[in-house]
C-alpha cells in the first residue's frame, strides 16, 4: 500500500511495516492518483488494528492513501441516472484509461446518499358489502371479508450527513473473490484460500471456488454490519462479542497489486462488446447492526405493531458500459423486459458468458467514506477525560473524529419516538432543510423541540406508554 504521509489520516504505525515488495500492497487504498509503491502483508502486531472493546466501540483502524494527484480538469462524459445508479456509455471512457480515471475521481467527489428508513404497519380485518346483479336483473348482496395493511408511519433519517472523511479510493484485495474482467469471480492471491490440496501452490489469477465465494460473502456481511472498511479481513465472531479482559486476535489488512488507474487501463484495453466497469461507494465507521437494534427498540417502546428498519443507499454505484446498440438496449429496463418476453435474453447471456468478445465484468474498486475515523495528532496533549475519543499509539496520540453512533442515537432518540407517535409519513429526511430555503438571507431552521431536548447535556432517555 502506498501511504500518503501528507494525509491527516495517515497511520505511521502502518507505514513502519511497509516493505519494498512488489507482489502486493497492504490494501490498495488511495486518496486519489495512481500508486507508486507496494508493500507486503503485515506480520508485525503493531501494524494492524487491535479490537480492544466490546462491539468494536473503540477500535483503532489505521487509515492511509496515495499521494493526491495534481489539479486536473475532470472529463465531462455523457451519463444518465438509472434507478439510483449512474450509467455511462460514453465512447471515450471505454477507450482512454486516463479519461475513465478522471471521470471516476470527479464522480467520487459526490458523496453517496445513506438513509435510515423506518416504517410501521398493522393489519386490519374489514368487511364490505358486495352487490351482484344476475341475468334476470335481480340484485343480491353478500358480505366479503378482507384484510388491508395500513401504514402508521414512514420516515427517513439522513445518516450520510455524518460523513467526515472520504473518499479513500480502494481496490479489491488480491485474495478477495471478485469479477476481474470475466463473467466468473476470480482471485489473484491464495492468502485467504482454504486449506485444499487441490489448489496446491497455484500462483496468479484463477477462478474462485465456491467455498471462497461463500467466505467472501460472510466477510462482506460482517464488514457491512460492524462498519469495517473494505480492506479489512474480519475475524471470527468472538471479535465482536468478546467480553474477555484480553483483546481478541488482530485483524488482517488485505493487499491489492493494482490501483484504480491500473484497473481503468485494463478495462479500456479490452475489446469485449458487452463489458462493464463498476465503481462502488461504501460507507464505514458505524456499527449499523447495533444501531438498527437501538432504533427498533426505541420505536417499540411506543409502538406495538410491525416495524421495519433498513439502511438505504443511492448514488453509490457508477457503471461504465460500451457505446454500441446492444449494450445501450440492455441498459433500458423496458427494452430488456421485452427481450425477456421474446426469449432473446437467454441467448445474450450465453454469448456474454462464453463468447470470446462477449461479456466481462470489472467490479474491483470504489471509494470509502468514513462516519468516524482516527486522526493522528502527535503534537497534541490528550485531555484526562477523553470519553474514548483519544488513543495513545506508538506514533503519538490519535483523536477520533466524527460522531459516534451512540451519540447520534442519543440526539435522535426522542425525535424518532415523536415521529412514531405523531404518525409521520414523509419522503424527506427528518430535520432536512430545503435547499431553496437555506439560501434565503436570515433563514434559521428551527427543529422540532424533541430534537432540541436531545441536544441538551443533561439528556436522559424517557419511557413512554406504547400506543395501542
Amino acid at each position: 500500500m502506498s501511504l500518503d504521509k501528507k494525509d491527516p489520516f495517515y497511520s505511521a504505525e502502518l507505514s513502519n511495516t511497509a516493505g519494498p515488495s512488489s507482489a502486493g500492497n497492504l490494501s490498495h487504498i488511495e486518496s486519489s492518483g495512481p500508486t507508486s509503491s507496494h508493500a507486503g502483508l503485515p506480520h508485525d502486531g503493531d501494524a494492524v488494528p487491535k479490537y480492544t472493546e466490546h462491539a468494536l466501540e473503540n477500535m483503532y483502524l489505521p487509515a492511509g492513501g496515495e499521494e493526491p494527484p495534481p489539479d486536473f480538469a475532470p472529463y465531462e462524459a455523457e451519463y444518465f441516472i438509472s434507478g439510483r445508479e449512474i450509467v455511462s456509455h460514453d465512447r471515450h471512457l471505454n477507450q482512454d484509461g486516463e479519461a475513465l480515471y478522471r471521470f471516476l475521481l470527479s464522480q467520487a467527489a459526490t458523496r453517496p446518499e445513506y438513509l435510515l428508513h423506518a416504517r410501521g404497519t398493522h393489519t386490519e380485518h374489514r368487511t364490505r358489502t358486495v352487490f351482484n346483479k344476475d341475468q334476470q336483473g335481480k340484485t343480491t348482496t353478500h358480505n366479503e371479508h378482507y384484510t388491508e395493511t395500513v401504514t402508521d408511519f414512514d420516515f427517513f433519517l439522513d445518516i450520510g450527513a455524518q460523513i467526515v472523511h472520504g473518499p479513500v479510493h480502494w481496490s479489491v484485495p488480491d485474495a478477495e473473490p471478485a469479477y476481474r474482467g470475466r463473467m466468473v469471480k476470480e482471485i489473484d492471491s491464495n492468502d485467504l484460500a482454504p486449506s485444499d490440496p487441490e489448489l496446491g501452490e497455484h500462483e496468479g489469477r484463477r477462478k474462485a471456488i465456491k467455498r471462497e465465494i461463500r467466505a467472501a460473502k460472510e466477510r462482506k456481511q460482517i464488514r457491512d454490519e460492524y462498519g469495517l472498511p473494505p480492506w479489512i479481513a474480519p475475524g471470527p465472531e468472538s471479535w465482536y462479542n468478546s467480553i474477555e479482559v484480553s483483546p481478541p486476535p488482530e485483524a488482517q489488512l488485505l493487499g491489492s497489486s493494482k490501483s484504480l488507474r491500473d484497473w481503468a487501463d485494463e478495462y479500456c484495453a479490452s475489446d469485449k462488446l458487452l463489458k462493464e466497469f463498476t465503481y462502488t461507494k461504501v460507507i464505514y465507521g458505524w456499527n449499523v447492526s447495533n444501531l438498527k437494534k437501538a432504533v427498533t427498540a426505541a420505536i417499540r417502546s411506543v409502538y406495538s405493531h410491525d416495524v421495519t428498519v433498513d439502511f438505504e443507499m443511492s448514488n453509490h454505484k457508477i457503471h461504465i458500459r460500451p457505446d454500441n446498440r446492444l449494450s445501450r438496449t440492455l441498459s433500458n429496463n423496458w427494452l430488456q423486459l421485452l427481450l425477456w418476453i421474446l426469449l432473446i435474453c437467454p441467448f445474450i447471456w450465453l454469448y456474454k458468458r462464453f463468447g470470446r468478445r462477449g461479456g466481462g465484468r470489472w467490479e474491483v474498486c470504489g471509494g470509502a467514506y468514513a462516519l468516524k475515523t482516527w486522526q493522528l495528532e502527535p503534537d497534541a496533549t490528550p485531555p484526562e477525560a477523553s470519553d474514548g475519543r483519544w488513543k495513545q499509539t506508538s506514533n503519538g496520540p490519535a483523536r477520533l473524529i466524527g460522531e459516534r453512533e451512540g451519540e447520534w442515537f442519543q440526539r435522535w432518540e426522542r425525535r424518532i419516538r415523536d415521529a412514531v407517535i405523531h404518525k409521520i409519513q414523509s419522503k424527506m429526511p427528518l430535520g432536512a432543510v430545503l435547499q431553496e430555503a437555506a439560501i434565503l438571507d436570515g433563514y434559521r431552521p428551527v427543529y422540532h423541540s424533541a430534537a432540541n431536548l436531545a441536544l441538551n447535556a443533561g439528556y436522559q432517555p424517557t419511557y413512554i406508554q406504547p400506543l395501542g
Side-chain angles (χ1 to χ4, degrees):
M1 182 168 96
S2 177
L3 294 175
D4 178 12
K5 297 186 178 182
K6 297 179 181 178
D7 190 336
F9 302 95
Y10 160 79
S11 170
E13 287 187 356
L14 190 57
S15 66
N16 291 337
T17 64
S21 171
S22 60
N25 52 340
L26 292 181
S27 78
H28 206 85
I29 47 182
E30 328 166 350
S31 58
S32 48
T35 182
S36 58
S37 63
H38 303 292
L41 285 171
H43 300 287
D44 183 357
D46 292 333
V48 294
K50 296 181 176 62
Y51 298 81
T52 57
E53 291 193 4
H54 178 62
L56 308 186
E57 291 175 353
N58 201 26
M59 178 178 61
Y60 175 70
L61 283 179
E66 298 185 353
E67 290 285 348
D71 294 338
F72 62 92
Y75 177 69
E76 299 295 337
E78 166 216 348
Y79 68 90
F80 60 93
I81 306 297
S82 177
R84 297 181 176 182
E85 302 173 355
I86 294 175
V87 179
S88 175
H89 288 276
D90 190 279
R91 181 182 298 273
H92 196 48
L93 295 183
N94 286 272
Q95 299 174 344
D96 186 349
E98 173 67 20
L100 175 56
Y101 175 65
R102 288 189 291 151
F103 176 74
L104 294 175
L105 291 181
S106 61
Q107 290 296 322
T110 303
R111 295 174 175 178
E113 295 181 3
Y114 192 42
L115 302 176
L116 185 151
H117 183 195
R119 186 169 182 262
T121 61
H122 72 273
T123 301
E124 293 185 356
H125 301 277
R126 299 180 177 180
T127 302
R128 60 188 172 194
T129 301
V130 179
F131 295 86
N132 293 320
K133 182 179 291 187
D134 57 19
Q135 295 179 350
Q136 287 75 30
K138 183 179 179 181
T139 302
T140 60
T141 63
H142 70 276
N143 292 331
E144 183 178 87
H145 302 281
Y146 67 100
T147 60
E148 182 175 345
T149 300
V150 178
T151 299
D152 296 313
F153 62 89
D154 190 345
F155 60 85
F156 296 84
L157 299 172
D158 188 1
I159 305 296
Q162 308 301 315
I163 293 175
V164 294
H165 178 53
V168 175
H169 302 287
W170 56 274
S171 296
V172 68
D174 290 345
E176 197 81 351
Y179 291 103
R180 303 171 186 268
R182 296 176 59 193
M183 295 299 292
V184 295
K185 291 188 175 182
E186 301 173 297
I187 65 172
D188 286 338
S189 167
N190 288 325
D191 290 340
L192 296 177
S195 300
D196 190 339
E198 295 182 2
L199 296 178
E201 297 297 329
H202 187 282
E203 296 293 338
R205 186 171 298 180
R206 64 171 175 81
K207 180 181 177 181
I209 62 178
K210 291 183 178 180
R211 280 184 295 167
E212 291 173 324
I213 295 175
R214 184 167 56 250
K217 288 182 178 179
E218 294 174 355
R219 288 193 295 269
K220 183 180 183 303
Q221 181 179 357
I222 292 175
R223 279 194 292 261
D224 292 343
E225 291 182 355
Y226 292 96
L228 300 177
W231 50 85
I232 293 291
E237 184 68 17
S238 60
W239 277 9
Y240 312 100
N241 297 321
S242 175
I243 57 175
E244 302 293 334
V245 176
S246 59
E250 297 168 348
Q252 181 182 12
L253 292 174
L254 301 179
S256 173
S257 57
K258 289 191 175 184
S259 67
L260 171 59
R261 175 60 194 275
D262 294 334
W263 287 117
D265 288 337
E266 180 179 306
Y267 170 79
C268 291
S270 172
D271 63 349
K272 295 183 177 181
L273 299 177
L274 295 176
K275 62 183 181 179
E276 180 178 20
F277 189 98
T278 302
Y279 180 95
T280 305
K281 302 176 184 180
V282 298
I283 294 177
Y284 70 97
W286 279 10
N287 188 322
V288 296
S289 177
N290 285 351
L291 180 59
K292 180 178 180 178
K293 294 176 183 176
V295 172
T296 302
I299 293 175
R300 290 201 177 280
S301 69
V302 294
Y303 183 77
S304 58
H305 299 294
D306 296 332
V307 176
T308 302
V309 177
D310 293 311
F311 293 88
E312 301 178 1
M313 288 188 68
S314 59
N315 188 33
H316 66 294
K317 285 193 176 182
I318 304 170
H319 302 279
I320 310 299
R321 298 167 184 164
D323 180 26
N324 58 63
R325 184 171 298 178
L326 179 56
S327 181
R328 287 182 176 270
T329 298
L330 295 176
S331 292
N332 187 305
N333 294 331
W334 292 107
L335 293 179
Q336 187 173 146
L337 176 61
L338 179 61
L339 293 177
W340 276 109
I341 295 175
L342 298 176
L343 300 180
I344 296 176
C345 265
F347 295 98
I348 296 177
W349 183 89
L350 290 173
Y351 174 67
K352 290 176 65 176
R353 177 66 174 82
F354 301 105
R356 189 190 70 82
R357 294 190 61 195
R361 296 168 64 179
W362 280 261
E363 298 178 6
V364 288
C365 57
Y369 304 76
L371 295 168
K372 66 180 180 185
T373 188
W374 291 94
Q375 176 178 343
L376 284 174
E377 296 189 5
D379 299 328
T381 302
E384 294 183 1
S386 63
D387 191 26
R389 285 194 165 271
W390 288 87
K391 179 180 286 290
Q392 188 64 38
T393 71
S394 59
N395 292 279
R399 180 172 63 91
L400 183 67
I401 63 172
E403 191 171 32
R404 292 176 290 190
E405 53 269 42
E407 296 168 337
W408 178 91
F409 176 71
Q410 189 172 24
R411 283 201 300 117
W412 282 93
E413 183 179 4
R414 291 189 181 181
R415 184 72 182 275
I416 292 171
R417 287 196 179 107
D418 189 69
V420 173
I421 293 172
H422 290 87
K423 300 184 178 181
I424 299 298
Q425 297 189 37
S426 174
K427 295 298 182 182
M428 178 177 290
L430 300 185
V433 178
L434 291 174
Q435 184 177 1
E436 294 79 3
I439 62 176
L440 294 176
D441 183 22
Y443 177 79
R444 297 292 183 271
V446 177
Y447 300 105
H448 195 279
S449 58
N452 294 332
L453 287 172
L455 287 170
N456 292 338
Y459 168 77
Q460 297 293 332
T462 56
Y463 300 94
I464 306 173
Q465 184 67 27
L467 295 178

